[in-house]
Amino acid sequence: MDRDEASRPLLGSENGELEHSSYLDKVKNGKLYLATFAAILGPLSFGFVLGYSSPAIPDLRRITDPHMRLDPEEASWFGSVVTIGAALGGLLGGWVVDKLGRKLTLMFCAMPYIFGFTIIIAAQNHWMLYLGRILTGLASGVTSLVVPLYISEMAHERVRGTMGSCVQLMVVTGIMGAYIAGLFLGWRWLAVTSSVPPALMLVLMCFMPETPHFLLSQGRRAEAQEALRFLRGPDASPEEECARIDAAMEDQGDSLGWSDLKDPVIYKPLAIGIVMMLFQQLTGINAIMFYAESIFEKAHFKNSDVATVIVAAIQVVFTAVAALLMDRAGRKILLVVSGVAMTISTAVFGVYFWLSSPNHRSSLVPGVSMETPGPVSLAPQPDLAWLALVSMGLFITGFALGWGPTPWLVMSEIFPTRARGLGSSLCVLTNWASAFVVTKTFHNLMDVLTSAGTFWLFSGLCALNVFFTIFFVPETKGKSLEQIQAHFKGAGHR
């Protein structure tokens, strides 16, 4: 794959495009928005799972019951074990979503959320806490796979970017909700609050349709047409869209085998999806969010719990901005802007910690050498404290604009129907496995490389993702799923 291939126009005849545009002009989006709202209660639940550990861990470390009190190592596992469950959920979800369909999978994944939080509420020991976190992580892994698929297969190309970006918007909204609720609620009542969104999702999804792509792949054409009538309104005839989906499926074949991995329609989107998920975590976002309070404490901000709420609010605002821009500016430009912002912010954060280090300050004090024995004050220069706040704000802004929502959106767009379950499963597994590694090794990296070196490492990785975006990621703005698949097929047979 080269730069020309990544940026060349997707395929489609002019007459067909005019007819399809006329069809889209008749579409009414009201019930599509309703179905999307029901589905994104899953990512909202997912956000509460991610945000739960930040306010709960301080409570659990102060609790008087020795069977429940967490030491630093146990607290680290309580925060990160959710990623193990999520990785397992990604593997399981890829199989379930192809067997049961998108709608039923989404409904079933509400159960581990509810059971997991119920176990945490009733917890009497550490293992119940861990089990509850693993179950909610399992549900999060399935959710992060099935909801982008459900939305991408329901939405048409004029709104798919905005609708798909709502997945990440609701994740960060859930994180902020958990942070805010944690200011007022204890860890048990916070778990009760966190169980409300998945319960509501389970109820609402009972009234929503299965996706037309899945129904047609199962030969259920009448049900697919009925689903399209629900999603597109009474004025848009479903036959034309069914015919487009059918034609794409006939071209793809019915089943996926090992020999298909040599097909560019399969291996190119798979490679792009996996690398995007890897780069998303290598920015350091989950490490920074999981340990936001610790980072602000090390940056010498007194009200670190309030600071994390502010960070989450910034993420919500700019993820909403990304959702509004996704179908206007396009995916690639937002990814590039995002990558550049994160490269600069993590580099500056590294500079802040370097300037705040005792060795650096001792070298600047006359008569004090770097080898001088005895403790040196860790307090930074007073005029440098703003640097950490600005760096964190710029990083969160940059991530929210591009590398937060876009990899999940692109993952849901680039795979053909027959490979969508497997491909998305491998992408989700990559994302959560790398999230676990980054989260568990973050403090070790800061010990080995120093705080400054760790953030400079993240900065270099963010710079790499900018180059990857420019040369390898195709623009999918305004293209149907069938056109995107035709792009990969055409690119492989030039």
Side-chain angles (χ1 to χ4, degrees):
M1 193 185 305
D2 57 26
R3 183 177 180 177
D4 291 337
E5 174 185 315
S7 59
R8 74 189 187 89
L10 301 183
L11 304 179
S13 69
E14 184 176 348
N15 289 339
E17 289 304 307
L18 289 174
E19 291 177 4
H20 191 56
S21 178
S22 176
Y23 166 76
L24 292 177
D25 289 338
K26 301 174 184 176
V27 166
K28 301 289 188 289
N29 291 322
K31 290 185 178 178
L32 171 62
Y33 297 154
L34 178 62
T36 300
F37 172 75
I40 60 178
L41 289 171
L44 181 65
S45 309
F46 171 17
F48 269 96
V49 171
L50 290 181
Y52 179 82
S53 60
S54 184
I57 284 175
D59 284 352
L60 290 167
R61 293 197 63 186
R62 291 191 299 264
I63 200 168
T64 56
D65 185 351
H67 298 292
M68 297 292 294
R69 188 169 57 246
L70 301 179
D71 62 30
E73 180 64 21
E74 290 164 342
S76 173
W77 277 105
F78 183 79
S80 58
V81 74
V82 68
T83 59
I84 298 176
L88 294 174
L91 277 177
L92 177 65
W95 178 81
V96 175
V97 79
D98 282 336
K99 296 296 182 182
L100 299 183
R102 286 53 164 153
K103 174 184 173 177
L104 282 179
T105 301
L106 189 51
M107 292 175 68
F108 280 130
C109 80
M111 304 311 295
Y113 277 127
I114 296 169
F115 290 152
F117 280 120
T118 300
I119 290 171
I120 291 174
I121 293 165
Q124 300 299 316
N125 54 56
H126 295 160
W127 293 107
M128 291 182 73
L129 291 174
Y130 294 152
L131 178 59
R133 290 289 282 171
I134 290 173
L135 283 174
T136 55
L138 181 75
S140 298
V142 178
T143 297
S144 61
L145 183 151
V146 68
V147 175
L149 291 189
Y150 184 76
I151 292 175
S152 72
E153 292 186 354
M154 284 196 311
H156 54 83
E157 54 266 35
R158 288 186 180 176
V159 298
R160 193 178 62 243
T162 299
M163 296 295 97
S165 299
C166 287
V167 173
Q168 182 69 11
L169 176 61
M170 295 307 284
V171 171
V172 296
T173 300
I175 292 172
M176 184 178 70
Y179 287 173
I180 293 173
L183 296 175
F184 308 101
L185 301 175
W187 62 275
R188 289 191 196 271
W189 280 106
L190 182 58
V192 172
T193 303
S194 300
S195 65
V196 172
L200 183 59
M201 177 186 71
L202 179 61
V203 173
L204 291 182
M205 282 303 300
C206 293
F207 305 98
M208 299 301 118
E210 179 58 89
T211 70
H213 283 75
F214 178 77
L215 292 170
L216 287 171
S217 72
Q218 302 298 303
R220 296 153 63 181
R221 189 177 185 86
E223 292 176 63
Q225 290 179 341
E226 190 61 32
L228 283 170
R229 289 189 188 96
F230 178 90
L231 296 169
R232 304 290 185 256
D235 299 330
S237 173
E239 282 75 15
E240 188 249 340
E241 190 165 350
C242 280
R244 288 168 66 96
I245 298 170
D246 270 337
M249 288 182 177
E250 288 174 9
D251 196 39
Q252 295 168 18
D254 295 328
S255 60
L256 186 68
W258 286 107
S259 60
D260 290 315
L261 293 177
K262 298 182 290 185
D263 187 345
V265 176
I266 304 296
Y267 74 75
K268 288 187 176 180
L270 183 61
I272 290 170
I274 287 176
V275 175
M276 288 187 75
M277 290 300 180
L278 186 62
F279 270 130
Q280 186 194 57
Q281 291 303 322
L282 292 180
T283 63
I285 179 61
N286 268 342
I288 289 171
M289 292 303 292
F290 280 163
Y291 298 108
E293 287 193 27
S294 300
I295 290 172
F296 274 104
E297 286 170 3
K298 194 162 187 176
H300 310 285
F301 289 96
K302 293 181 180 178
N303 297 321
S304 57
D305 54 343
V306 177
T308 57
V309 173
I310 295 171
V311 166
I314 293 172
Q315 200 169 11
V316 169
V317 169
F318 283 95
T319 303
V321 171
L324 294 174
L325 293 177
M326 196 67 70
D327 284 320
R328 294 176 173 86
R331 285 58 157 161
K332 288 188 72 165
I333 186 65
L334 290 178
L335 285 172
V336 171
V337 170
S338 171
V340 170
M342 292 189 297
T343 300
I344 295 171
S345 60
T346 46
V348 174
F349 220 136
V351 170
Y352 169 81
F353 281 120
W354 179 65
L355 293 176
S356 301
S357 67
N359 284 346
H360 174 77
R361 285 197 309 279
S362 66
S363 69
L364 299 180
V365 178
V368 179
S369 71
M370 292 181 67
E371 289 78 21
T372 300
V376 181
S377 171
L378 293 179
Q381 301 297 324
D383 60 337
L384 291 179
W386 61 270
L387 202 56
L389 185 60
V390 170
S391 299
M392 179 70 80
L394 180 59
F395 179 89
I396 296 300
T397 298
F399 183 83
L401 280 175
W403 277 92
T406 310
W408 298 105
L409 173 61
V410 171
M411 177 196 76
S412 69
E413 295 177 318
I414 58 179
F415 293 109
T417 303
R418 62 192 170 115
R420 210 160 276 158
L422 175 62
S424 299
S425 177
L426 292 174
C427 289
V428 170
L429 176 62
T430 300
N431 186 282
W432 285 107
S434 52
F436 175 75
V437 171
V438 171
T439 304
K440 280 300 291 177
T441 61
F442 180 58
H443 284 308
N444 303 103
L445 282 172
M446 294 181 82
D447 290 338
V448 173
L449 300 178
T450 73
S451 299
T454 300
F455 279 90
W456 285 334
L457 174 62
F458 287 146
S459 181
L461 293 169
C462 289
L464 279 178
N465 75 36
V466 173
F467 287 101
F468 174 77
T469 300
I470 292 172
F471 290 103
F472 297 111
V473 178
E475 180 56 76
T476 59
K477 180 188 73 170
K479 308 301 177 185
S480 69
L481 299 180
E482 293 71 40
Q483 288 174 311
I484 295 168
Q485 294 157 30
H487 163 70
F488 286 112
K489 182 179 180 181
H493 295 88
R494 288 188 301 161

